Amino acid sequence: MENLHQKKEVPAHEKEYVEGLEHFLESSGEDTADIDGILEQFPIFAGPTLENLKSKGSGRILDIGSGNGAKAIHLARALQGLGIEVMGDSREPKAEQREGLARNYQGENQKFFGTASEQSLGEIQLDKKYDLALAIHSLYEFPRDGEEGLLSFDSLGDIVSDQGAGVIVIEHPEGDFQRMKHELYPTFGKKLPVSQSVVTKSLEAADVPYKVGEKIEFKFSLNEIINKPESEIGKTMAFLFSDSLSDQSLTENDFQTIGRWVKGNVRRDDEGNSYLWTPDIAIWTFRK
């Protein structure tokens, strides 16, 4: 597997980020929920792309900011059930996450794997076109042009084939994560968080055609952490506050601030379970 087994020293804040993210993914079921949502919306928002994949019986996927690859693997298995054999190239800048890729793409999953590298979207060499490009929760640390613009979006309209499509998944603007970020980012001296409006304005500035898709509904269970000290809750949630690849760890006061916010905004269902409401939204992009 290309570039997956090269060991590098991982910064402490990167490990902290991955540990918190992995806890969230396990507690929320986001890996499968997002992909199931994409599959439901696929024929509505990118029907020609899906029909082209079915006609060919195969395709190539680009997974931008792939994390540990679990979402792309779930998608590949689902498409296989539709008679479509896909292979995916992964772009993941975090060494800790690329180690997860190496683990998840072993065994029978290896047939879905193409290449992996640290390349950013702006560095991708356009020597091939993709039937589907995924950017699922991978834009929050993208380079910014001031408060609003995300850089490198020109590439999104070029990397997909004529019949291809891209799908960006981001936190729904009404969800608790976006509400938390908009309230706390200024407290930590950060820019406004990446949001649906930031993404759509960036797509428009890059002249990339797009359609805003539908809400993907799910919750983040807090049962395991809500009774812990505020600082521990904050450390678990710290992955939400990284806004660049060079971002450093938050302070102990920052962790406590996050923990207080969570405790003050926790939701309860009829059975007394604690959770935050964390829906996503899909944005479909197309070739220029």
Side-chain angles (χ1 to χ4, degrees):
M1 288 190 183
E2 181 181 328
N3 292 337
L4 287 186
H5 295 294
Q6 296 178 0
K7 291 284 186 179
K8 294 183 179 179
E9 184 175 351
V10 178
H13 71 276
E14 185 174 310
K15 289 187 176 183
E16 182 181 90
Y17 173 100
V18 172
E19 287 173 3
L21 177 59
E22 292 296 328
H23 173 81
F24 164 69
L25 293 174
E26 183 178 346
S27 300
S28 67
E30 185 195 70
D31 280 337
T32 55
D34 276 338
I35 296 304
D36 291 345
I38 287 170
L39 290 168
E40 288 177 8
Q41 297 182 37
F42 212 153
I44 302 170
F45 293 96
T49 299
L50 182 58
E51 292 306 313
N52 183 52
L53 285 168
K54 288 180 178 178
S55 176
K56 295 191 302 179
S58 64
R60 184 168 286 276
I61 294 174
L62 177 64
D63 193 6
I64 301 166
S66 57
N68 63 17
K71 291 180 176 68
I73 290 170
H74 185 60
L75 177 62
R77 288 182 171 278
L79 292 177
Q80 188 177 47
L82 299 176
I84 305 166
E85 299 290 336
V86 297
M87 181 173 288
D89 291 343
S90 297
R91 298 294 177 261
E92 175 49 58
K94 287 185 167 66
E96 186 88 350
Q97 293 284 51
R98 290 196 303 277
E99 290 183 14
L101 275 174
R103 292 190 297 271
N104 285 334
Y105 274 110
Q106 290 178 358
E108 61 182 56
N109 289 335
Q110 192 166 0
K111 64 185 175 183
F112 303 129
F113 179 77
T115 64
S117 82
E118 302 175 44
Q119 281 184 321
S120 68
L121 179 60
E123 297 169 333
I124 291 173
Q125 299 298 310
L126 300 177
D127 58 345
K128 64 182 78 168
K129 303 292 183 184
Y130 293 90
D131 298 288
L132 188 64
L134 305 174
I136 303 177
H137 294 297
S138 57
L139 305 182
Y140 304 120
E141 298 175 316
F142 258 48
R144 302 278 290 276
D145 179 13
E147 290 288 350
E148 290 296 318
L150 289 166
L151 301 179
S152 303
F153 264 35
D154 287 353
S155 302
L156 280 177
D158 298 325
I159 57 182
V160 297
S161 63
D162 289 339
Q163 294 293 322
V167 60
I168 296 167
V169 175
I170 194 167
E171 297 155 353
H172 193 278
E174 297 174 2
D176 289 337
F177 279 172
Q178 276 287 300
R179 191 161 57 89
M180 182 198 303
K181 287 181 175 183
H182 275 88
E183 291 181 21
L184 297 187
Y185 267 44
T187 302
F188 299 159
K190 294 178 177 291
K191 296 179 180 179
L192 290 174
V194 172
S195 62
Q196 179 182 332
S197 63
V198 169
V199 171
T200 54
K201 287 177 182 177
S202 299
L203 291 170
E204 290 164 6
D207 199 28
V208 176
Y210 72 90
K211 297 176 183 177
V212 177
E214 298 172 353
K215 183 191 298 181
I216 301 173
E217 187 74 56
F218 62 96
K219 302 174 181 178
F220 171 32
S221 172
L222 296 174
N223 286 342
E224 292 185 16
I225 65 172
I226 194 60
N227 294 318
K228 292 184 176 180
E230 292 170 350
S231 61
E232 289 189 34
I233 296 174
K235 289 175 182 176
T236 301
M237 309 292 284
F239 71 95
L240 292 167
F241 294 84
S242 181
D243 61 356
S244 76
L245 291 174
S246 60
D247 203 13
Q248 299 300 310
S249 294
L250 299 173
T251 67
E252 191 68 20
N253 284 339
D254 293 337
F255 293 138
Q256 291 175 359
T257 299
I258 297 168
R260 281 195 298 273
W261 192 97
V262 172
K263 283 180 177 283
N265 289 271
V266 61
R267 299 172 186 257
R268 310 267 182 190
D269 63 20
D270 293 339
E271 286 75 41
N273 294 304
S274 305
Y275 69 95
L276 292 178
W277 182 54
T278 55
D280 287 335
I281 189 80
I283 302 170
W284 296 81
T285 67
F286 306 94
R287 187 164 178 78
K288 291 183 180 181

